[in-house]
Amino acid sequence: MKNLGEMLLRQDSFSEIVLGNTALARAMIESGTEVVTSYPGSPTPEIASALLSVPGEKRPFYFEFSTNEKVATEVACGASLNGHPSCVFFKSVGLNVAADSFVQLSLLELEGGLVAVLGDDPGANSSQNEQDNRHFARMAYIPVLEPSSPSEAYRYYLEAMALSRRKKMPVILRMTTHVCHGKEKVAFGAWKGGAVSTESRFDTSGGPMVPLTAAALEMKRRALARLSLAGCEMDSPAFCEVRKGTDSSRGVITAGLPFRSLLDVLEDSRRTPDILKLGVVYPLPEKAVEEFLRAHDQVKILEELDDVLEKDIKALAFDRGIRVTIVGKADDDDRIGEYTPDKVAEVLAKTWPDMVPLRGAKRQPSLAPRPPQMCPGCGHRSAFHAIRQALSKEDITVADIGCHVLGYLPPYEMGEVLLSMGHSTGTGAGLSLFNGARKVVSFIGDSTFFHAGLPGIVNAVFNNHNLTLIVMENGTTAMTGHQDHPGAGRNANGPSEAIPVRGVLEGLGVKSIREVDAYSQGKLIELVKEAMAEEGFSVVIARHPCMLKYTREQQRNPDYVRKSVEVNQETCDRLHVCVESFGCPSFQRDEDGGVNVSRELCIGDGSCVQTCPVKAIGLRKENRGGEKA
């Protein structure tokens, strides 16, 4: 197997089949990016995995997972102000967290350059919405490049960093899920190698750097001028590709993944439109777009999510008196979901049914639907199973971002509202006002606790809100691939001092704190009832390590012996508590009502044993070969 870290450091030019995210990691190294920061979130965490595959002593860059996206942006900004080419990357909704600082970036003289890689998520594959972050670019006066493939992701990153360093301005590279995770053979250039510069180049003479009153207006004027110059530079064939079709009267303007899907859809069409594929989507490459509009009678704007390009292009056509019919989104469905080939065929068929007829029934998945659920052995399952027994039906529960959001699903059905990372204490506090009859319980994971959970907790203490917060502590950022957080005792570069959740709570002034292992269900029920009976703000820490991470680490040990549980068929009375209430996927009900254990799924953690009212579940003793001992 090829060593990823060695591949990324190759100094000769070469070609390799890689993910879009891996192509970006190589582009960062090749472009001389010296500082990279992030907060983990899909679809971008593989960028970090690639960067961290380079041994620490060989890295020509500094990398860190910051505590949240805002801090990551600020660290990258500070490094750029000091002359280091910098990059920050995170998922789509991470930009909401970073926004307070992010929208200020264009006002500064970013000496080293700064590229922000945004992982937008059309289709909401791993996000709570499918927001279109091109809107932020307009608000922040930051140009946006949008690749449609791993090869373009690599090339556009190099272009973005070069532009950013030249103009001392931020540049956005907007990735979407399929481009991040798509694979392609990418031709990489040579890299000279070199160490990170230790020269401090922070200099305020190019300022102002502090946006006070009149200075803020001057800084805005400078940002607008730079944006205009950058737009003119990128209004070129390097970012605007024209493909000729067989019907010269009609054209499509598109970008990103929809372009690739469009090529797929048109493969079997006799009549095909001309295509203008944009590599830069903000500011609009006006020269290229105007020429394309004037050359056609009818132009379809094909873009995922919102009608950002459509509005700009219609405005351009109106202002310049171009006689062309511009067709945008037909209905709300055109604003929703990923523009995969099926979706693009559906969208185009509404406009040009003679060119792209409807494909008929959508392709049906060959596998049965598989609902999301927690892993076997997850401490959250044990905790939810117990906490469910401590609550009444009238009590209100508030979810947060993380694996434990799956508690919303049956059979637990806890966490009835969700806004954003770290919201649960604040939202729970609001639900508790004028609400003496119904108790409020909020949940939060430990990574989210450090990310954005602290202000809500401070507020609950400060205003003496009446609710119980349950911290689901598993020691890692599990949902995005087990990245370390401040409580883990490690960071991306090695050991660091762990910041204990309890210590933070005590430091914030929380008086009522209880701790328990999430596997100790009886004790957890007792502590939750005690906490809920109190007036004011109380916290229960339900702690158990992420068993997926723990089991993987154990399996690397040559002496590891596989474990599992088994159901005693003679004792089992088929009440199905293990299946219907505890809900571990390892338990499988047979057609005759009997229950068996999938040894492929079961990790033998034993958290289920206590849930069986007739004691029919027991640990299965195995030898090292996996056979029953």
Side-chain angles (χ1 to χ4, degrees):
M1 179 180 290
K2 294 178 180 176
N3 184 294
L4 179 58
E6 290 179 1
M7 185 200 76
L8 292 175
L9 293 183
R10 282 182 63 170
Q11 297 196 0
D12 58 330
S13 56
F14 65 100
S15 296
E16 191 63 71
I17 298 174
V18 295
L19 292 172
N21 282 340
T22 308
L24 282 179
R26 167 68 184 193
M28 291 174 192
I29 293 171
E30 217 175 285
S31 66
T33 304
E34 295 181 342
V35 174
V36 186
T37 61
S38 178
Y39 182 82
S42 294
T44 60
E46 294 85 4
I47 301 173
S49 302
L51 292 172
L52 293 174
S53 71
V54 179
E57 69 277 8
K58 294 183 179 179
R59 290 176 196 164
F61 55 83
Y62 169 81
F63 174 80
E64 73 170 42
F65 278 124
S66 307
T67 49
N68 64 29
E69 294 85 352
K70 180 172 183 286
V71 178
T73 300
E74 291 156 353
V75 174
C77 173
S80 178
L81 290 172
N82 201 29
H84 299 288
S86 300
C87 172
V88 60
F89 66 89
F90 41 72
K91 69 176 297 172
S92 58
V93 292
L95 187 50
N96 303 336
V97 180
D100 207 12
S101 291
F102 194 88
V103 298
Q104 298 295 111
L105 291 177
S106 64
L107 304 184
L108 302 175
E109 287 278 310
L110 296 171
E111 182 67 29
L114 191 157
V115 175
V117 177
L118 304 182
D120 272 11
D121 189 15
N125 297 286
S126 55
S127 310
Q128 63 266 42
N129 66 25
E130 54 171 12
Q131 69 185 48
D132 191 330
N133 278 326
R134 292 177 295 175
H135 295 295
F136 270 100
R138 182 184 296 277
M139 183 167 61
Y141 316 126
I142 301 177
V144 183
L145 301 182
E146 184 166 339
S148 67
S149 66
S151 289
E152 283 190 354
Y154 161 73
R155 183 167 71 86
Y156 284 7
Y157 184 91
L158 296 178
E159 296 278 3
M161 179 53 78
L163 175 67
S164 180
R165 296 181 72 173
R166 208 162 53 242
K167 302 293 184 188
K168 300 182 180 181
M169 67 186 299
V171 177
I172 293 173
L173 187 69
R174 180 178 184 250
M175 302 282 286
T176 54
T177 304
H178 274 74
V179 181
C180 285
H181 295 160
K183 272 191 170 183
E184 186 180 42
K185 191 170 188 176
V186 179
F188 295 110
W191 171 60
K192 295 180 180 178
V196 175
S197 169
T198 57
E199 178 188 2
S200 174
R201 292 163 59 192
F202 179 66
D203 183 359
T204 59
S205 62
M209 295 285 195
V210 181
L212 287 177
T213 53
L217 303 184
E218 182 56 33
M219 293 165 79
K220 176 179 177 179
R221 191 181 308 280
R222 187 173 59 188
L224 289 170
R226 275 195 296 231
L227 178 66
S228 178
L229 288 173
C232 291
E233 279 194 23
M234 292 187 291
D235 195 350
S236 75
F239 296 102
C240 305
E241 176 186 351
V242 176
R243 292 199 178 199
K244 287 293 185 182
T246 59
D247 182 348
S248 60
S249 67
R250 290 186 278 189
V252 176
I253 299 178
T254 187
L257 177 68
F259 167 68
R260 296 292 163 190
S261 297
L262 177 62
L263 297 184
D264 186 271
V265 168
L266 296 177
E267 264 187 354
D268 300 325
S269 298
R270 291 184 179 180
R271 301 177 67 187
T272 57
D274 294 343
I275 301 171
L276 172 59
K277 200 273 285 183
L278 304 179
V280 54
V281 295
Y282 182 74
L284 189 70
E286 296 183 350
K287 179 183 173 186
V289 171
E290 180 176 352
E291 288 178 358
F292 193 80
L293 293 177
R294 291 192 184 281
H296 297 86
D297 298 328
Q298 193 174 58
V299 172
K300 170 72 178 176
I301 313 301
L302 186 70
E303 58 182 327
E304 284 177 318
L305 303 183
D306 298 337
D307 52 354
V308 176
L309 287 175
E310 180 185 333
K311 286 180 175 173
D312 281 355
I313 291 170
K314 284 180 174 176
L316 176 77
F318 178 82
D319 289 346
R320 301 192 182 182
I322 303 171
R323 297 178 63 84
V324 60
T325 301
I326 299 174
V327 184
K329 296 187 180 296
D331 51 39
D332 287 348
D333 281 345
D334 286 359
R335 299 169 181 264
I336 298 171
E338 290 180 295
Y339 271 37
T340 57
D342 282 349
K343 178 78 175 186
V344 167
E346 177 187 322
V347 170
L348 277 186
K350 298 177 192 173
T351 305
W352 296 326
D354 61 313
M355 183 178 288
V356 185
L358 276 174
R359 291 185 170 187
K362 292 183 179 179
R363 282 177 286 189
Q364 297 299 315
S366 57
L367 299 175
R370 190 181 63 171
Q373 57 180 304
M374 289 173 274
C375 305
C378 179
H380 298 345
R381 171 181 293 103
S382 182
F384 282 131
H385 180 69
I387 296 167
R388 178 80 273 173
Q389 299 172 59
L391 305 182
S392 72
K393 289 184 178 179
E394 292 73 29
D395 293 333
I396 299 171
T397 55
V398 184
D400 215 305
I401 299 290
C403 295
H404 66 275
V405 75
L406 298 175
Y408 169 73
L409 300 171
Y412 322 106
E413 297 179 328
M414 279 190 288
E416 302 158 285
V417 59
L418 173 62
L419 293 181
S420 60
M421 281 191 82
H423 86 106
S424 60
T425 310
T427 303
L431 284 162
S432 72
L433 296 174
F434 310 106
N435 190 4
R438 305 172 70 186
K439 293 290 186 180
V440 178
V441 174
S442 293
F443 296 93
I444 194 169
D446 45 353
S447 187
T448 303
F449 173 86
F450 289 108
H451 173 280
L454 300 181
I457 294 171
V458 171
N459 186 68
V461 174
F462 176 51
N463 289 300
N464 194 29
H465 284 295
N466 184 29
L467 75 153
T468 297
L469 175 67
I470 298 179
V471 182
M472 311 283 266
E473 184 178 357
N474 63 6
T476 188
T477 311
M479 184 169 263
T480 51
H482 300 130
Q483 294 84 6
D484 294 314
H485 63 59
R490 287 184 56 85
N491 61 29
N493 300 301
S496 66
E497 187 168 348
I499 301 174
V501 170
R502 181 176 186 118
V504 173
L505 290 168
E506 290 174 339
L508 295 179
V510 179
K511 304 297 184 189
S512 174
I513 305 172
R514 295 169 173 82
E515 297 177 85
V516 63
D517 190 307
Y519 273 17
S520 300
Q521 295 171 10
K523 186 66 176 177
L524 179 55
I525 294 171
E526 175 188 335
L527 295 187
V528 171
K529 286 182 176 178
E530 285 180 8
M532 292 176 65
E534 294 177 349
E535 285 296 313
F537 182 56
S538 57
V539 176
V540 177
I541 303 172
R543 179 182 298 119
H544 200 83
C546 170
M547 292 304 288
L548 178 62
K549 180 172 184 282
Y550 175 80
T551 303
R552 285 176 176 172
E553 292 169 349
Q554 292 296 305
Q555 288 173 340
R556 297 191 189 104
N557 187 336
D559 296 325
Y560 171 76
V561 177
R562 186 183 178 90
K563 301 175 184 175
S564 63
V565 300
E566 60 185 352
V567 176
N568 185 323
Q569 301 298 332
E570 294 181 358
T571 307
C572 176
D573 60 359
R574 302 185 177 185
L575 287 173
H576 299 136
V577 173
C578 54
V579 177
E580 297 178 358
S581 297
F582 189 64
C584 179
S586 300
F587 293 106
Q588 298 179 353
R589 182 158 48 186
D590 299 329
E591 290 184 359
D592 65 358
V595 177
N596 280 296
V597 176
S598 167
R599 294 192 57 247
E600 296 298 321
L601 295 175
C602 181
I603 62 170
D605 57 283
S607 59
C608 54
V609 172
Q610 61 195 304
T611 66
C612 181
V614 295
K615 312 295 184 190
I617 304 173
L619 291 173
R620 182 177 188 267
K621 296 181 180 178
E622 300 181 359
N623 58 31
R624 293 184 61 180
E627 300 300 323
K628 189 170 182 178

